């Protein structure tokens, strides 16, 4: 699909089937009922209804909670009370916790303002609640400093050979940490240490082997389903921690409701929907980069990197609301994909790079070429990627993709 979330979604039935598979792993076929705690009554004029129920293979979750229209304390009520409670601002991003008296009827109260913000506004990107508290120490005595875990990673350093085709050399190294220590009193720290996130983490940890061996599977060229070599539980949970607590551009991964009994189940269902999409789009192919799959005239153009099915990836634009996230085309950028298809003669990884006098155009991938001929003179081997059985890059002639491109300059958007 085009970038920025536009375009039609295909494979809906597969996503639905994947969704049920994930829920079966998470809940072992027994779906929990979610209800509001008996000690909490809906605000005056409000209503709440929460359910998780499988019906004919579909699942529904619904919740409505209307804030009270006139039960919040007046501006004149400034005396401190013994409890903190959310003010239920009509704009959630401006909501905060107060401890004014009298406490409105039906309000849930907390011992501290920090606890109130954690429970009531856990994913509030504006930090309005925490910032409104009288004092929030950045590193209080005895607070926990959370360091995101570091794991070695393999980096691929692309190099364009004289023929204009990429070669890669793997190097395993420990990346420098880009994260600062997270205080338990910070917004991210509060989320990581919240009851909701701890319950999600515990639930996922209890089925981590099933996630790896039943969900994170890909289909081999021999039509066997085996555990992915790219998508693994340890990487998933580390990414979830970062996206749930820090997020990107002020948006975080939704992990559930803090004010509802079993509210973490909302987060688990959200994760299930996300994994159902990922299983359809990438995990089943054991890929994180786009494969070259658009066959043009019996060959696979190397300029498929610029767009397949006649598309031009670099010419897509985001909506005005997301235009600030666009990056300009860099004609000097050189990148080689990490993953690719693995069937007999499958095209090598997509790559992009500037045109040169030595290589002013891009050719094609010849999937019919027999490269495993050690007896030939000179001997020939398949060395473009691990496990290659046939095929080669052919840069001897210019060959256009379906959109007419005969180069890969600036085509790094796959």
């Amino acid at each position: 699909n085009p970038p920025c979330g536009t375009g039609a979604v295909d494979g809906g039935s597969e996503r639905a089937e994947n969704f049920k598979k994930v829920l079966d792993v998470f809940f072992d076929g027994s779906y929990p009922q979610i209800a509001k705690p008996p000690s909490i009554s809906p605000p005056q004029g409000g209503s709440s209804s929460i359910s998780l129920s499988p019906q004919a293979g579909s699942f529904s979750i619904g919740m409505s909670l209307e804030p009270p229209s006139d039960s919040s304390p007046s501006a004149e009520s400034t005396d401190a009370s013994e409890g903190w409670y959310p003010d239920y601002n009509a704009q959630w991003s401006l909501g905060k916790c107060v401890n004014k008296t009298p406490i409105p009827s039906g309000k849930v109260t907390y011992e501290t303002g920090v606890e109130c913000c954690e429970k009531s506004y856990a994913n509030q990107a504006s930090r309005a609640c925490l910032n409104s508290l009288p004092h929030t120490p950045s590193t209080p005595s005895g607070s926990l400093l959370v360091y995101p875990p570091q794991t070695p990673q393999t980096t691929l350093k692309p190099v364009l050979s004289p023929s204009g085709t990429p070669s890669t050399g793997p190097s395993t190294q420990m990346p420098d940490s880009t994260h600062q220590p997270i205080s338990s009193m910070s917004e991210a720290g509060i989320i990581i240490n919240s009851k909701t996130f701890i319950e999600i983490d515990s639930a996922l940890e209890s089925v981590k082997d099933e996630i790896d061996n039943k969900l994170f599977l890909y289909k081999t060229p021999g039509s066997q389903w085996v555990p992915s070599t790219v998508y693994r539980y340890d990487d998933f949970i580390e990414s979830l921690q970062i996206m749930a607590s820090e997020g990107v551009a002020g948006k975080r991964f939704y992990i559930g409701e803090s004010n509802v009994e079993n509210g973490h189940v909302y987060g688990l269902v959200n994760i299930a929907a996300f994994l159902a999409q990922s299983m359809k789009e990438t995990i089943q192919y054991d890929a994180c980069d786009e494969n070259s799959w658009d066959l043009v005239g019996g060959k696979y153009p190397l300029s498929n990197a610029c767009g397949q099915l006649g598309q031009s990836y670099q010419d897509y634009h985001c909506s005005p609301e997301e235009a600030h996230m666009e990056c300009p085309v860099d004609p000097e950028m050189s990148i080689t994909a990490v993953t690719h298809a693995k069937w007999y003669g499958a095209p090598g990884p997509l790559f992009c790079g500037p045109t040169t006098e030595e290589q002013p155009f891009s050719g094609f991938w010849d999937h019919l070429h027999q490269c495993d001929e050690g007896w030939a003179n000179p001997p020939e081997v398949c060395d473009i990627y691990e496990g290659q059985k046939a095929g080669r890059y052919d840069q001897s002639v210019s060959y256009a993709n379906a959109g007419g491109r005969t180069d890969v300059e600036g085509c790094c958007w796959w």
Side-chain angles (χ1 to χ4, degrees):
N1 295 327
C4 302
T6 60
V9 177
D10 63 339
S13 60
E14 294 175 72
R15 288 176 172 82
E17 183 179 343
N18 290 339
F19 184 51
K20 188 176 186 306
K21 284 181 182 178
V22 181
L23 290 178
D24 285 341
V25 166
F26 284 2
F27 303 115
D28 195 25
S30 178
Y31 305 105
Q33 297 298 313
I34 310 173
K36 63 181 178 60
S39 60
I40 301 177
S41 59
Q44 184 177 359
S47 63
S48 62
S49 173
I50 310 167
S51 64
L52 171 60
S53 58
Q55 295 178 347
S58 64
F59 298 79
S60 62
I61 293 184
M63 178 176 180
S64 62
L65 183 61
E66 300 175 6
S69 58
D70 55 4
S71 60
S72 58
S74 64
E76 290 76 21
S77 300
T78 57
D79 296 336
S81 72
E82 304 218 347
W84 290 80
Y85 55 91
D87 66 355
Y88 290 117
N89 192 297
Q91 289 185 265
W92 191 81
S93 62
L94 301 178
K96 59 184 183 295
C97 287
V98 295
N99 66 338
K100 300 173 183 177
T101 56
I103 299 176
S105 175
K107 292 279 189 178
V108 182
T109 61
Y110 304 91
E111 291 185 2
T112 66
V114 170
E115 182 185 11
C116 179
C117 288
E118 172 193 345
K119 300 293 186 181
S120 305
Y121 300 102
N123 292 312
Q124 189 184 53
S126 65
R127 296 179 56 90
C129 187
L130 288 171
N131 291 339
S132 70
L133 300 179
H135 178 58
T136 304
S138 57
T139 312
S141 175
S143 67
L144 174 67
L145 293 180
V146 182
Y147 291 83
Q150 280 186 280
T151 56
Q153 69 179 24
T154 299
T155 57
L156 295 177
K157 302 176 180 179
V159 180
L160 289 182
S161 66
S163 64
T165 56
S167 60
T168 57
S171 64
T172 302
Q173 59 185 22
M174 181 71 75
D176 294 332
S177 175
T178 58
H179 291 84
Q180 297 298 319
I182 301 174
S183 167
S184 63
M185 298 296 288
S186 69
E187 189 172 12
I190 287 174
I191 293 172
I192 289 177
N193 291 294
S194 68
K195 181 173 180 283
T196 303
F197 188 86
I198 291 173
E199 288 177 332
I200 280 187
D201 189 66
S202 177
L204 294 173
E205 189 70 17
S206 69
V207 294
K208 64 179 183 180
D209 290 339
E210 292 180 89
I211 292 175
D212 270 340
N213 297 315
K214 291 184 178 181
L215 302 180
F216 292 174
L217 306 177
Y218 81 96
K219 194 173 185 179
T220 68
S223 297
Q224 294 177 310
W225 289 94
V226 300
S228 171
T229 63
V230 178
Y231 296 93
R232 309 302 296 157
Y233 173 82
D234 290 342
D235 301 315
F236 158 69
I237 197 66
E238 180 180 348
S239 301
L240 178 64
Q241 290 172 353
I242 295 173
M243 288 304 301
S245 62
E246 300 177 44
V248 173
K251 297 181 179 180
R252 296 184 180 86
F253 194 93
Y254 173 72
I255 59 170
E257 299 293 321
S258 59
N259 291 345
V260 179
E261 183 180 0
N262 284 333
H264 71 287
V265 172
Y266 284 99
L268 289 173
V269 173
N270 191 42
I271 292 171
F274 171 77
L275 292 182
Q277 161 76 0
S278 301
M279 290 160 67
K280 158 65 178 170
E281 292 289 349
T282 59
I283 298 177
Q284 68 169 322
Y285 306 112
D286 204 30
C288 57
D289 293 308
E290 184 173 343
N291 292 343
S292 178
W293 50 264
D294 193 8
L295 190 65
V296 178
K299 298 178 173 61
Y300 293 92
L302 302 184
S303 53
N304 276 348
C306 302
Q308 306 196 74
L309 293 182
Q311 299 177 84
S312 177
Y313 298 155
Q314 68 190 64
D315 291 324
Y316 281 115
H317 295 282
C318 294
S319 64
E321 294 78 14
E322 296 184 342
H324 64 283
M325 292 190 282
E326 284 193 16
C327 296
V329 176
D330 183 357
E332 298 301 317
M333 183 181 291
S334 295
I335 301 177
T336 300
V338 176
T339 60
H340 48 81
K342 299 176 181 178
W343 44 268
Y344 190 92
L350 293 174
F351 65 93
C352 62
T355 58
T356 63
E357 291 185 6
E358 294 80 9
Q359 191 63 54
F361 55 80
S362 59
F364 61 93
W365 175 270
D366 180 2
H367 65 288
L368 300 177
H369 177 75
Q370 299 301 310
C371 56
D372 191 13
E373 297 183 341
W375 59 87
N377 187 18
E380 188 172 2
V381 296
C382 303
D383 59 359
I384 303 298
Y385 56 84
E386 185 177 356
Q388 179 188 0
K389 300 298 183 182
R392 67 173 177 181
Y393 291 113
D394 189 328
Q395 292 275 43
S396 62
V397 296
S398 174
Y399 202 86
N401 69 356
R405 285 292 295 267
T406 57
D407 65 281
V408 293
E409 186 170 283
C411 298
C412 308
W413 303 96
W414 26 265

